[in-house]
Amino acid sequence: MLPWGGLSCCLSAAALYLLGRSSGRDAEVLRSVTKVNQLKDLAQLLDTACKVLPLVVTISGRVSSDTPITCEYSGLRGVIVEETAEQHFLKHNDAGSWIQDSALMLSMSKEVPWYLDDGTGRVFVVGARGATGLALTVASEVFEESGRSLVRGTLDYLQGLKMLGVKRIERVLPTGTSLTVVGEAVKDDIGTIRIQRPHKGPFYVSPKSIDQLIANLGKWARLLYKYASVGFTVFGVYLIAKHAIQYIMERRRRWDLQKRVLAAAAQRLEQDNEGSNGKTENGTDTAKRDRLMPDLCVICLEQEYNAVFVP
């Protein structure tokens, strides 16, 4: 049987090693990205940049919009709003007890055109929800208890349910939030500049600075992936070596036992042949030995066996 545990650890180590190298490459890519200190300089940079290769830059500014969204429960103004509603209830299981469970009732997302503004200019951001590092703030978390109507309660009880209420959560990207965006800078025909996901390259929308992003990627590459892959490799090699040693010892034990049985069978055959006249042929000896071996007890190596033990 193959040592699946050891093989799994070695494969996991290889996967972590590849992830570590990928994370290290991402850090190197971010170091090579053009850093724009003021948004007003981006227009001139686009005019002088190569038109064949995409211009990947990093910019920073505060989130702004001409048509922000006002959250229903918290009243915050944001540019991306996600709303979820979960129905919480008690469910009667087969053991006769009640367990708490939930089901998603509503999941809705809204986004309006928004841009980064640093006081010198503005740059629109497109497709931020698919970027790495975007984290929305929990604006509100409200639990609405279910009504205590007798008819509804009776119907739910007959179905094995007890409704507790609805939990509503609002997540938002508020206006005024400081963000760092890494992506491809483009300018349309009317002169509007926007940052979007490049065809090939990094796309980050994060509250961290570019230096913090690079440091975090390098740290994860060094600590998590590198040392975890080494640990998985050592443990996997240990499991494989342990399995191999056990297999060799088992094969050796079986070989020793087989030699003992063969020796005992040969001795018994000699004793049976002491009173007979003449020597038997080799084929007859082999046939007789093959006939004796399956019936020979592996404990005493003298009598025929009369019981077996199934592993």
Side-chain angles (χ1 to χ4, degrees), residues 126-132 182-184 195-203:
V126 180
R129 280 186 293 178
T132 303
V182 180
E184 180 184 1
I195 297 289
Q196 61 187 16
R197 175 185 292 276
H199 179 68
K200 185 178 180 181
F203 187 39

Side-chain angles (χ1 to χ4, degrees), residues 35 37 40 51 65 115 135 167 174 187 217 234 241 257 292:
K35 186 175 182 180
N37 295 320
K40 67 177 183 179
K51 303 299 181 182
S65 176
Y115 51 86
K167 184 177 182 180
K187 181 192 290 187
L217 286 173
V234 172
L257 180 59
L292 289 174

Side-chain angles (χ1 to χ4, degrees), residues 183-239:
E184 180 184 1
V186 295
K187 181 192 290 187
D188 59 20
D189 296 336
I190 61 175
T192 302
I193 301 175
R194 64 178 185 271
I195 297 289
Q196 61 187 16
R197 175 185 292 276
H199 179 68
K200 185 178 180 181
F203 187 39
Y204 286 83
V205 176
S206 173
K208 299 177 181 178
S209 66
I210 185 64
D211 294 332
Q212 291 174 330
L213 289 174
I214 295 172
N216 287 341
L217 286 173
K219 181 177 67 176
W220 280 106
R222 290 191 305 270
L223 298 182
L224 176 61
Y225 298 124
K226 180 179 178 180
Y227 294 113
S229 64
V230 171
F232 273 104
T233 301
V234 172
F235 189 63
V237 170
Y238 164 75
L239 292 178

Side-chain angles (χ1 to χ4, degrees), residues 8 19 33 45 64 69 71-72 114 121 128 134 147 151 195 200 208 258 284 297 308:
S8 299
L19 286 174
V33 168
L45 185 62
S64 303
I69 306 171
C71 296
E72 180 179 356
W114 60 280
L134 179 65
V151 176
I195 297 289
K200 185 178 180 181
K208 299 177 181 178
Q258 185 177 6
T284 306
C297 175
V308 294

